[in-house]
Amino acid sequence: MPDNDALYDVRERTKNPEHASVDVVELVLERAQHPRTEHRDAHLDEMMATVVDRHGTDPVRTVIHRILVDHYPFRTATHDLEMRNVEGIRIGTAAGQFLTELNAQDDG
């Protein structure tokens, strides 16, 4: 079983495992296309802009789904996608932070 500290359990965090990754994917891609400049997480937006530019949207979608829904560890979510493992860590970190933001918006 993968290390639970490296995963985001969608069922526990959002109560909606069918749709959570779609919301996060769209937010990741939006932030990659329009990075925020005066925000504490602007570095994540810029990092995702680089990753999306380098690999395209489909592999990024796949990695986010694998991490948030299929419970892959960040470092192995890129398997068979012609990406380095570090890209999975980058994508997983950003997706996790953006999922936290989505949950805070839903709670607020």
Side-chain angles (χ1 to χ4, degrees):
M1 181 72 183
D3 178 14
N4 287 334
D5 291 338
L7 303 175
Y8 287 87
D9 187 336
V10 176
R11 184 179 310 280
E12 292 301 316
R13 294 177 62 105
T14 69
K15 312 287 191 256
N16 192 353
E18 278 93 40
H19 301 293
S21 68
V22 174
D23 293 343
V24 172
V25 166
E26 295 311 315
L27 186 55
V28 166
L29 296 177
E30 170 65 24
R31 298 265 171 87
Q33 190 174 13
H34 305 288
R36 300 165 291 179
T37 56
E38 299 297 324
H39 190 274
R40 66 184 176 110
D41 292 330
H43 63 288
L44 295 175
D45 299 0
E46 293 171 12
M47 178 177 63
M48 291 315 304
T50 301
V51 171
V52 170
D53 186 50
R54 184 178 299 146
H55 300 288
T57 58
D58 288 341
V60 172
R61 285 178 191 278
T62 299
V63 170
I64 292 171
H65 187 273
R66 286 177 177 178
I67 290 169
L68 296 180
V69 177
D70 296 334
H71 304 286
Y72 281 51
F74 293 177
R75 68 189 176 280
T76 59
T78 60
H79 179 70
D80 290 335
L81 294 176
E82 297 183 22
M83 287 182 171
R84 297 182 347 207
N85 292 350
V86 71
E87 300 294 26
I89 295 167
R90 291 177 178 137
I91 294 167
T93 299
Q97 180 58 36
F98 297 163
L99 178 58
T100 299
E101 286 181 34
L102 287 171
N103 288 338
Q105 290 172 4
D106 290 344
D107 292 342

